[in-house]
Amino acid sequence: MADLSVNFAGIRAPNPFWLASAPPTNSGAQIHRAFEHGWGGAVWKTIGAPVLNISNRYGGLSIAGQRLLAINNVELISDRPLDVNLREIAEIKRLWPDRAVIVSAMVDASPEAWREIVMQIEDTGADGIELNYGCPQGMSERGMGAAVGQVPEMCELNTHWVTSITRLPVIVKLTPNVTRITEPAHAAIAGGANALSLINTINSVMSVDLDTLQITPNIGGRGTHGGYAGPAVKPIALNMLTELLTDTQVLKSGVPVCGMGGIVTWKDAAEFLLLGAGAVQVCTAAMHYGYRIVEDMIDGLGNWMDDKGFATIADVSGRALPQVSTFGELDLGYQAVARIDPDKCIQCNLCYVACNDTAHQCIDLVAGNGARVNPGYDVRVNGKAVADTRPIPVVREPDCVGCALCANVCPVDGCITMVSVPSTQQNICWDALTAQRPEIATSWDAMMAYRAEQGIEIH
């Protein structure tokens, strides 16, 4: 059985699945229940400056009957008294010495405020501190959260104030609401951060109710921007994780990164690990389905690691990173085409419509010859299967550019696959090509001449 234990910046846990700082980690009683289900760690809901929360606090994104594909929140940090939180943190760590108990903190940007809260956190016996530089709503207007994370100089300074006075590992939680995620990461590392975590929530307005004309969530007839999270943000989180872990300065520092953003299943978590995360955090999925989801996460990840021959989390972490390239490094000569399995096709024609209207017009509807019966989706008359003469979508492979739109819109798994085919084009990347023939990047005449040489026809 694979060993799922992790040592993240000196913080040990029995598995890489940690609850993120959020409503699921609001109290000791909640975290106690979570640990009973098997969570390897928890980041306590952010403590610090006094706040008052509002209601309604959440707006949800639902599409085609799928609930909570994303959540928008306008909730602030913990509104429970500081002394109550500190007491419960100490109690949880006493009851669960093998679990990672990390305390998220956010205070005014001053060395005095940070010293006070850090000393209080140290007294609880917690394993580490996560500095919340990410919240985009409410706290940022008070000069905290994203207001710190979006300004590298403030990020470095606040981090230094903490790392210079504590013996605990310090994790800096980065905001995604920046142009380049590497800049605050460099600042956090310069400030002495022992680890990074990302992403925090994305600034957003969830929706407008077309009946009431009110922004949602509706707070007494008014609305505001909030933090966007959930399954829909996973690709953004994976991209930012990749940006960090392919950055020379971050790699040279050796600081580990805890990944989060849209993790629902063990498969999601495995993707973060493969792109270099040393542990992962989960929030929205726990809010949607409860703490018990971690049981499937542990079983699923362990079984997959066994199947792949991975013995430890360290064996998994970063295994996909060598594939990461810039566009200029990709092979221009590689060619793939779409192929449709007629035995799986339900003849919905979505592939045809998508290709014909919005892609490269290389799928035809060919009249059925009356000779085949679709085994999975029989055409029936009076209860009897008859020959299916409906039009069949067929790809004209010489005209297919391999965009894969059809494969992505097809509702049947495995019906349309992208197949690598031999190419007559030169196997060269854009960077190498334009280094050899720089005029191709600036002259359409030169570009068309190269295409003619290579037999490239854009129809």
Side-chain angles (χ1 to χ4, degrees):
M1 183 68 184
D3 178 6
L4 300 189
S5 65
V6 294
N7 183 342
F8 182 84
I11 301 171
R12 297 183 179 274
N15 62 63
F17 300 111
W18 300 355
L19 285 168
S21 170
T25 61
N26 190 50
S27 69
Q30 288 171 278
I31 294 176
H32 181 75
R33 288 201 305 276
F35 285 169
E36 287 182 323
H37 281 282
W39 290 91
V43 184
W44 208 276
K45 183 171 170 63
T46 305
I47 62 173
V51 298
L52 284 173
N53 272 302
I54 48 81
S55 61
N56 301 306
R57 301 179 189 180
Y58 305 129
L61 176 67
S62 301
I63 297 177
Q66 287 189 272
R67 304 285 291 177
L68 217 60
L69 291 174
I71 190 171
N72 167 288
N73 87 87
V74 291
E75 184 165 297
L76 304 180
I77 66 175
S78 177
D79 53 11
R80 304 170 73 236
L82 182 59
D83 62 326
V84 173
N85 276 311
L86 292 168
R87 183 174 66 249
E88 292 182 5
I89 292 165
E91 179 66 8
I92 287 296
K93 188 58 196 175
R94 184 186 68 80
L95 291 172
W96 297 93
D98 68 325
R99 306 303 168 93
V101 178
I102 300 154
V103 181
S104 176
M106 180 192 296
V107 293
D108 291 326
S110 75
E112 295 79 16
W114 280 116
R115 173 176 290 276
E116 181 179 3
I117 195 72
V118 166
M119 295 301 101
Q120 291 172 315
I121 292 171
E122 283 195 349
D123 288 342
T124 67
D127 298 299
I129 302 172
E130 185 177 80
L131 307 183
N132 184 345
Y133 295 164
C135 284
Q137 76 283 347
M139 305 309 293
S140 56
E141 290 90 330
R142 293 168 57 178
M144 293 174 267
V148 173
Q150 290 171 327
V151 182
E153 295 80 6
M154 289 297 292
C155 182
E156 178 179 349
L157 183 61
N158 279 259
T159 303
H160 173 71
W161 285 336
V162 175
T163 58
S164 63
I165 61 172
T166 185
R167 57 179 174 78
L168 294 176
V170 175
I171 306 167
V172 170
K173 188 172 186 179
L174 302 175
T175 175
N177 301 299
V178 292
T179 303
R180 291 187 61 82
I181 194 65
T182 51
E183 293 183 5
H186 295 165
I189 292 167
N194 303 106
L196 304 172
S197 62
L198 83 166
I199 59 173
N200 209 313
T201 54
I202 301 168
N203 218 358
S204 63
V205 171
M206 181 54 77
S207 63
V208 178
D209 188 305
L210 298 186
D211 291 324
T212 66
L213 312 187
Q214 295 290 330
I215 294 172
T216 55
N218 178 350
I219 302 114
R222 308 199 73 171
T224 186
H225 64 94
Y228 187 72
V233 310
K234 189 183 79 169
I236 299 169
L238 290 175
N239 176 62
M240 290 191 167
L241 175 67
T242 303
E243 286 187 35
L244 285 191
L245 290 171
T246 55
D247 178 80
T248 302
Q249 191 169 330
V250 173
L251 291 174
K252 186 177 179 180
S253 73
V255 300
V257 181
C258 188
M260 73 193 88
I263 296 173
V264 178
T265 70
W266 69 265
K267 294 180 180 180
D268 300 322
E271 293 179 49
F272 278 81
L273 295 172
L274 287 166
L275 288 174
V280 296
Q281 295 182 29
V282 179
C283 173
T284 306
M287 295 174 72
H288 195 176
Y289 302 110
Y291 296 135
R292 64 183 181 177
I293 60 172
V294 76
E295 298 165 11
D296 288 337
M297 290 180 172
I298 292 169
D299 289 343
L301 183 63
N303 291 335
W304 173 79
M305 289 174 62
D306 288 341
D307 290 342
K308 293 292 184 182
F310 296 130
T312 67
I313 295 297
D315 294 336
V316 179
S317 184
R319 286 296 289 267
L321 280 176
Q323 304 170 44
V324 177
S325 301
T326 64
F327 181 87
E329 297 170 328
L330 300 176
D331 182 3
L332 294 170
Y334 175 78
Q335 183 63 53
V337 297
R339 287 190 180 156
I340 302 171
D341 184 342
D343 290 332
K344 292 183 178 179
C345 179
I346 60 173
Q347 293 156 284
C348 65
N349 298 339
L350 279 174
C351 60
Y352 168 77
V353 172
C355 183
N356 193 52
D357 286 357
T358 65
H360 295 274
Q361 300 80 49
C362 64
I363 296 180
D364 299 320
L365 290 180
V366 178
N369 59 15
R372 78 185 187 104
V373 174
N374 189 320
Y377 300 90
D378 292 342
V379 174
R380 294 181 174 271
V381 176
N382 296 326
K384 295 182 179 181
V386 298
D388 189 347
T389 58
R390 290 176 297 170
I392 305 164
V394 177
V395 178
R396 295 193 317 277
E397 291 192 8
D399 292 331
C400 178
V401 302
C403 74
L405 176 61
C406 59
N408 281 284
V409 301
C410 179
V412 181
D413 289 341
C415 179
I416 303 180
T417 54
M418 302 305 298
V419 181
S420 177
V421 296
S423 174
T424 59
Q425 298 176 28
Q426 181 183 15
N427 291 108
I428 191 170
C429 67
W430 177 257
D431 289 349
L433 177 61
T434 53
Q436 295 174 12
R437 302 170 66 168
E439 68 278 7
I440 286 177
T442 57
S443 166
W444 268 106
D445 289 339
M447 172 63 77
M448 296 308 293
Y450 177 76
R451 289 183 180 180
E453 293 171 19
Q454 297 295 315
I456 300 171
E457 181 181 350
I458 307 297
H459 74 283

